[in-house]
Amino acid sequence: MADPARARKLADRIKVIIAKRLDRGLRDPRLGFVTITDVQVTGDLQHATVFYTVYGTDQERADTAAALQAATGMLRTEVGKNITARLTPTLEFQLDAIPENAAHIEDLLRQAREHDTEVAGLASGASYAGDEDPYVKPRDIDDEE
């Protein structure tokens, strides 16, 4: 197993190499607006998982996934030329679900804010069911007894 710091450095280097290559462009017209978000390398530096996001519709995401799958060999060759590892890791492209998760979290936060304002509105007009202070107070003992 390689040092985790070395694996992280290799992952960062792979991310830069692939991003630069995609920025120069591929000849595949199916490739959409791609952003490489992260790369994770296994401990033995044999396999790299490349996470990416695509701006667009589901059809554009599917087309981009097919284009990246078709270009995997070329991108692996590009990575092999630009790293100093003995073996070039295999590449696997995986769609990153960060935008969908962020939208879902924003929706949940919006629902929570609406519920909080509804509860605050109900609480402003509410009155106590009994005394304002429901705790039993100690009796005052008269000194005259």
Side-chain angles (χ1 to χ4, degrees):
M1 292 241 338
D3 182 28
R6 181 171 182 227
R8 186 73 239 159
K9 286 179 187 178
L10 182 64
D12 290 340
R13 182 72 185 135
I14 291 171
K15 178 180 175 182
V16 169
I17 293 167
I18 292 175
K20 282 184 179 179
R21 182 62 184 107
L22 291 176
D23 190 39
R24 286 194 313 247
L26 296 177
R27 293 184 190 159
D28 198 336
R30 300 175 293 179
L31 189 68
F33 187 70
V34 178
T35 302
I36 304 298
T37 56
D38 194 21
V39 175
Q40 293 180 350
V41 178
T42 57
D44 59 357
L45 307 178
Q46 297 283 325
H47 184 75
T49 303
V50 181
F51 294 94
Y52 67 96
T53 59
V54 179
Y55 182 74
T57 63
D58 289 336
Q59 179 62 36
E60 290 171 332
R61 287 186 186 112
D63 290 344
T64 299
L68 288 173
Q69 183 67 28
T72 299
M74 187 270 303
L75 291 171
R76 184 174 182 219
T77 302
E78 187 82 18
V79 168
K81 290 178 185 176
N82 292 299
I83 63 172
T84 57
R86 185 171 61 91
L87 298 172
T88 303
T90 59
L91 299 178
E92 177 189 357
F93 290 93
Q94 187 167 358
L95 183 64
D96 203 351
I98 288 176
E100 291 83 16
N101 290 343
H104 180 67
I105 290 172
E106 286 296 324
D107 186 44
L108 291 175
L109 289 172
R110 182 188 50 78
Q111 289 176 0
R113 279 192 294 274
E114 290 173 358
H115 185 67
D116 286 347
T117 56
E118 179 183 326
V119 168
L122 290 173
S124 66
S127 63
Y128 294 104
D131 293 335
E132 286 186 27
D133 189 7
Y135 298 105
V136 177
K137 297 177 185 67
R139 284 187 279 163
D140 293 333
I141 300 175
D142 292 333
D143 290 332
E144 296 175 6
E145 290 181 12

